[in-house]
Amino acid sequence: MKGKHIVLGISGGIAAYKSVSLLRLFVKAGAEVQVVITPNGKQFITPVTLSSLSGKPVISEFFTANTGEWHSHVDLGLWADVMVVAPATASTIAKMANGVADNMLVTTYLSAKAPVFVAPAMDLDMMAHPSTTRNLDLLRSYGNHIIEPESGELASGLVGKGRMEEPEKIFECIRDFFHTRESLKGKKVLITAGPTYERIDPVRFIGNFSTGKMGFAIASEAAERGAEVTLVSGPVSVEAPRHPAINVVKVESALEMLAACEKAAPEADIAIMAAAVADYRPAQPHERKIKRETDGIDSIDLVKNPDIAATLGAAKRPGQKLVGFALETDNADAHAADKLRRKNLDCIVVNSLADKGAGFGTDTNKIKIIYADGRQSDSFGLKSKADVARDILDAIENL
């Protein structure tokens, strides 16, 4: 953690006293810490204490009252390697989730280019309220990391979930995060994402409902871990991740995706086939729009598309890792294990449309992983696709 830049955001909750210990842990580990505290936060812990430990003036207001010096939230957002908001009260979480930029902490969050960790702290009823649950889900969907609070005795005297995680655990979480940031350094990763469109005529196609969100999340996480990523994306409406280590190759059809993969695969250390490739394409696409009234077409002849994962599996070199995906509606494990064997995969990520919140078009997913040696992971539970991407890459790294 030595030399890392950390923005520590502190909002107005009794758990602010724990932030002093967290700050001290960061500084002892060699990090450079800039504290940003809300006006209410100063009611619980003084800027003098925080400044003494960080060695930097504490920022709370947009301007310094006596000099008019402007504190640039944009500069802070660019400076940070990570932002940690601890404690994050219900009010601060709501403002972060909905872009209510009325204090320095939230404006810094909205300007942050680095990953953001949020450690909620509040009473159990506030924690369980649907609005808080919704806001935390929104923050997860944006790619933020939520450090779940503990259950225990709260400031109100009640017992339940809402205690901010202990400073030592938060510190370990951030330390491990920095460790994984370089875990794929020097590796080349090929990822496919989204659907393929197989043209019937210039205005119609055969396709599916894939949005590319899962593949994009994996690409972002791989790049954050230091990998050089080639992202082969089918036609999608969501924006592909922007990262200097991600090279986006846009394709439309399965044949185009195969060509792009065959070009990139020989240099790849890892290939992750997250795209939902159409199994069939029209044998003879029409050059002009088909007219129902005049063309009299009652059927369309289809031919099989090439199996991209199987093609790469047949050419897989020693040491190269190939990962497949299986989205099923029934007998998910059996179908996935069959795909794993046929396509010479090292592991396959299984999800099912029977699980609410999993599959196409959602911001969440629920997976399990089956390995070539027969091992199976337990279900990872329903998570944001950003969190699922971390689970998948952790599993690949363990291979």
Side-chain angles (χ1 to χ4, degrees), residues 17 129 165 309:
Y17 79 91
H129 196 278
E165 181 60 275

Side-chain angles (χ1 to χ4, degrees), residues 238-376:
V238 297
E239 186 176 0
R242 295 182 179 181
H243 192 287
I246 299 177
N247 174 39
V248 180
V249 180
K250 295 183 178 181
V251 299
E252 179 179 276
S253 67
L255 293 177
E256 291 175 354
M257 184 171 282
L258 174 63
C261 288
E262 288 185 315
K263 181 178 179 181
E267 300 297 322
D269 299 291
I270 303 165
I272 304 171
M273 303 288 99
V277 182
D279 293 320
Y280 295 90
R281 69 182 187 274
Q284 294 293 332
H286 288 250
E287 294 183 358
R288 61 179 181 81
K289 180 181 176 181
I290 299 170
K291 296 290 188 180
R292 180 178 57 183
E293 295 82 1
T294 58
D295 289 327
I297 293 176
D298 297 321
S299 63
I300 298 173
D301 291 331
L302 302 177
V303 295
K304 282 186 177 181
N305 270 325
D307 188 323
I308 298 174
T311 301
L312 299 190
K316 187 172 67 173
R317 68 177 190 275
Q320 188 180 50
K321 301 302 178 187
L322 179 60
V323 180
F325 269 70
L327 175 62
E328 304 292 344
T329 57
D330 61 279
N331 298 321
D333 288 1
H335 289 312
D338 179 60
K339 287 183 180 180
L340 175 74
R341 177 188 55 78
R342 287 189 291 104
K343 302 185 183 190
N344 193 27
L345 306 175
D346 293 282
C347 65
I348 190 164
V349 179
V350 189
N351 57 347
S352 173
L353 287 176
D355 292 321
K356 186 177 180 180
F360 293 149
T362 65
D363 292 320
T364 55
N365 205 355
K366 181 180 180 181
I367 67 163
K368 69 185 301 183
I369 299 175
I370 301 176
Y371 298 89
D373 62 7
R375 290 180 296 125
Q376 293 190 20

